Amino acid sequence: METAVRMRGITKSFGPVRALEGVDLDLRRGEVLALLGDNGAGKSTLVKILSGVHPADGGVLEIQGQPVDWRRHDVASARLRGVETVHQERSIGEKQPLWRNVFVGRHLKNSLGFIDARREREETKRLLSDVIGLKGAGMHPDARAATLSGGERQGLAIARALYFRAPILVLDEPTTALGAGEAEQVLSFVERLREEGHSCLLVSHELHHVHRVADRFALLERGRVAEVLERSRTSLSALADRLLLGSRGGA
């Protein structure tokens, strides 16, 4: 299977703290790969390196077959390479209308070079109805993001990534603090991403959610990938037991 992201020997330190100790990991095309581990295992650092928030200290990162130059790798360059990150809550500006949330930082321009607000509203309306499936009376481009539920906000952030045709999505705790119905909505979005051929790196503490949608599980322990498991060969209870063993240091 083709590889969307390839990591070899990724290291990262913050002062005396070694966050990553040589991570080797592949994200395949069209799969959902769950990144699991205790707090401090290195999940957030690895996600931020892929997303361009932090450069690595060493190692090799290839995105869609192209090597990354750490001196030039930032959020903008990661997006240009097709990486979009959906953070819990922080992906949406609550006080802004939906259309501005969709196109923030990447506005559509008219022939004179000005923001084409009319077109952005039209495109947002299409996203709401056709991509997210939100068709209520209050779901219009000028509605404030604060009026959306948690699941709807995550759906909007994912739909934004789909609009810009991002082949690689990083989903950082997308169902945390959501009710059962909202979490179900987000999980359906993730399943749709796989069906449409996107590659997803999913970070979550919700094991029952992870086991449902992920194809593989990468277990991080003390800054290294300790093991990668296939869902087809790993039950939910076995996954929980393996994570518990890792948290106890293999005891």
Side-chain angles (χ1 to χ4, degrees):
M1 183 177 292
E2 292 185 42
T3 300
V5 175
R6 179 177 179 269
M7 298 179 176
R8 292 294 182 271
I10 300 295
T11 60
K12 182 65 179 179
S13 295
F14 298 96
V17 178
R18 294 278 288 181
L20 298 176
E21 293 277 0
V23 169
D24 295 338
L25 188 66
D26 290 334
L27 172 63
R28 300 167 180 168
R29 294 189 187 276
E31 80 161 346
V32 178
L33 173 64
L35 197 59
L36 307 175
D38 285 344
N39 291 332
K43 303 187 303 298
S44 295
T45 301
L46 193 63
V47 162
K48 289 177 180 178
I49 286 174
L50 175 59
S51 302
V53 176
H54 296 315
D57 294 335
V60 175
L61 170 62
E62 294 180 359
I63 300 176
Q64 301 195 84
Q66 298 299 315
V68 166
D69 183 343
W70 297 120
R71 296 169 299 177
R72 297 176 174 84
H73 188 53
D74 55 19
V75 174
S77 67
R79 278 182 166 178
L80 287 174
R81 292 173 180 269
V83 179
E84 288 281 345
T85 303
V86 177
H87 297 284
Q88 178 195 2
E89 296 295 335
R90 296 188 300 274
S91 293
I92 296 297
E94 295 185 358
K95 295 182 180 180
Q96 295 295 320
L98 302 186
W99 69 273
R100 285 193 176 276
N101 268 289
V102 170
F103 293 99
V104 61
R106 288 175 288 184
H107 287 288
L108 303 179
K109 302 294 181 65
N110 59 25
S111 59
L112 299 176
F114 297 111
I115 293 175
D116 193 337
R118 180 184 62 80
R119 185 181 166 203
E120 290 189 353
R121 287 185 172 92
E122 291 174 351
E123 290 297 296
T124 299
K125 184 177 181 180
R126 183 181 64 80
L127 282 177
L128 290 172
S129 61
D130 298 345
V131 178
I132 313 177
L134 302 179
K135 301 180 181 180
M139 293 297 101
H140 55 82
D142 287 308
R144 301 292 174 182
T147 64
L148 301 183
S149 69
E152 290 168 344
R153 294 179 196 181
Q154 290 293 73
L156 181 65
I158 292 172
R160 178 175 61 195
L162 290 176
Y163 179 84
F164 290 103
R165 295 179 174 84
I168 302 165
L169 282 89
V170 179
L171 307 177
D172 188 7
E173 300 286 357
T175 61
T176 297
L178 298 185
E182 294 179 342
E184 175 64 30
Q185 189 176 36
V186 173
L187 294 175
S188 295
F189 289 138
V190 175
E191 290 172 333
R192 179 175 175 178
L193 291 173
R194 181 203 291 115
E195 292 170 1
E196 296 185 0
H198 298 266
S199 302
C200 300
L201 185 62
L202 171 63
V203 180
S204 178
H205 287 88
E206 306 287 348
L207 287 190
H208 55 298
H209 294 163
V210 164
H211 193 270
R212 168 181 157 180
V213 299
D215 300 292
R216 296 188 300 149
F217 318 106
L219 280 56
L220 260 67
E221 296 175 4
R222 296 177 293 280
R224 293 182 181 273
V225 176
E227 192 172 4
V228 179
L229 304 172
E230 300 279 347
R231 180 180 58 176
S232 60
R233 302 176 182 176
T234 310
S235 66
L236 176 58
S237 60
L239 180 61
D241 289 344
R242 177 60 184 83
L243 284 169
L244 181 59
L245 179 65
S247 69
R248 292 175 175 174

